[in-house]
């Protein structure tokens, strides 16, 4: 039971970190674009999943957002939003959503004559929450079977793993050298104090018993 209590907080923290990285890190989808367009969006409780207003404009509760409709090689459909990230988070420094919308319209193709593209994006698609991944860039590929390796994500995860290992070793060493001895002394003092209280209580109890006899 003790190990389970210690495991649950670590599992929750790991799940939160994994979800954060999965949402933030770039991913590539091989698809063909059906259309690029713009429509009005009213931001509500899910506004955290939308970017801020484009640079130079006011941050409004409702505004026009670019969207890109795409079809995957297996026939499934995907809708991407096309928003500037500016200098906010995630740090993609994207300020060309209008240009990307024009590029998406130019590269739109039909099922009979497809133009396959690698769409780099971040974020999630949820029909229940009405949120969309944000398209970052578009590039042509030779076909629907092209394999893409997420080098940036792999390198970043490796760097984060090394930093986490170093941080763990440093904090562990600090705990062993600085924190553990203090806790041990406090524990000894607590045990000594508890022993003194117990001895005093036993002495008083013995005294009252003699007095009562």
């Amino acid at each position: 039971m003790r190990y389970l209590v210690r495991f649950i907080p670590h599992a929750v923290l790991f799940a939160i970190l994994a979800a954060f990285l999965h949402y933030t890190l770039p991913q590539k989808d091989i698809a063909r674009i059906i259309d690029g367009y713009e429509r009005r969006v009213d931001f509500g409780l899910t506004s955290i999943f939308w970017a801020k207003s484009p640079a130079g404009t006011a941050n409004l509760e409702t505004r026009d957002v670019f969207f890109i409709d795409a079809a995957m090689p297996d026939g499934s459909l995907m809708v991407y939003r096309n928003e500037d990230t500016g200098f906010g988070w995630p740090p993609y420094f994207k300020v060309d959503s209008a240009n990307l919308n024009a590029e998406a319209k130019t590269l739109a193709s039909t099922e009979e004559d497809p133009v396959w593209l690698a769409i780099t994006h971040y974020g999630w698609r949820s029909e229940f929450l009405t949120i969309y991944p944000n398209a970052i860039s578009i590039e042509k590929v030779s076909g629907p079977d092209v394999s893409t390796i997420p080098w940036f994500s792999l390198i970043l995860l490796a760097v984060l793993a090394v930093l986490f290992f170093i941080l763990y070793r440093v904090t562990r060493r600090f705990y062993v050298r600085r924190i553990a001895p203090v806790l041990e002394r406090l524990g000894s003092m607590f045990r000594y104090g508890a022993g003194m209280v117990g001895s005093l209580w036993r002495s008083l109890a013995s005294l009252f018993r003699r007095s009562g006899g």
Side-chain angles (χ1 to χ4, degrees):
M1 185 65 180
R2 181 181 62 182
Y3 294 104
L4 181 61
V5 172
R6 294 178 59 185
F7 171 77
I8 291 177
H10 290 81
V12 171
L13 289 175
F14 178 80
I16 293 174
L17 178 61
F20 173 78
L21 291 175
H22 186 267
Y23 180 88
T24 306
L25 291 179
Q27 304 173 44
K28 287 182 181 291
D29 291 340
I30 304 301
R32 65 177 180 85
I33 290 178
I34 301 173
D35 191 15
Y37 56 93
E38 184 178 8
R39 69 177 173 86
R40 199 74 170 176
V41 175
D42 296 321
F43 304 100
L45 297 177
T46 60
S47 59
I48 189 176
F49 295 104
W50 297 79
K52 293 183 178 180
S53 299
T57 62
N59 194 27
L60 305 174
E61 293 297 325
T62 178
R63 57 182 168 82
D64 293 334
V65 177
F66 292 120
F67 286 89
I68 299 172
D69 291 345
M72 303 299 178
D74 62 0
S76 61
L77 302 177
M78 176 61 72
V79 180
Y80 302 90
R81 60 190 168 97
N82 173 20
E83 293 187 284
D84 289 341
T85 61
F87 297 95
W89 187 266
Y92 289 101
F93 310 110
K94 178 189 172 187
V95 294
D96 61 344
S97 58
N99 292 342
L100 190 63
N101 180 64
E103 184 179 2
K105 289 183 176 181
T106 301
L107 294 173
S109 61
T110 63
E111 186 175 2
E112 292 75 19
D113 187 20
V115 176
W116 295 106
L117 309 163
I119 303 176
T120 303
H121 66 88
Y122 73 89
W124 301 325
R125 173 68 175 116
S126 172
E127 296 179 359
F128 176 74
L129 297 176
T130 316
I131 59 176
Y132 307 86
N134 191 12
I136 302 299
S137 64
I138 301 171
E139 58 181 322
K140 286 185 179 182
V141 293
S142 57
D145 299 325
V146 171
S147 298
T148 59
I149 301 176
W151 290 112
F152 176 81
S153 298
L154 293 176
I155 294 173
L156 180 60
L157 289 175
V159 171
L160 290 176
V162 171
L163 292 176
F164 176 81
F165 178 75
I166 294 174
L167 180 63
Y168 171 78
R169 291 296 300 271
V170 170
T171 54
R172 179 67 179 175
R173 186 174 302 174
F174 179 79
Y175 174 84
V176 171
R177 291 184 177 182
R178 301 292 184 182
I179 305 299
V182 174
L183 294 178
E184 182 62 29
R185 287 196 294 270
L186 290 175
S188 299
M189 293 172 60
F190 177 79
R191 289 191 295 271
Y192 177 76
M196 292 291 292
V197 172
S199 298
L200 179 60
W201 177 258
R202 286 191 296 270
S203 299
L204 290 174
S206 176
L207 178 62
F208 281 115
R209 281 197 297 269
R210 289 198 297 269
S211 298

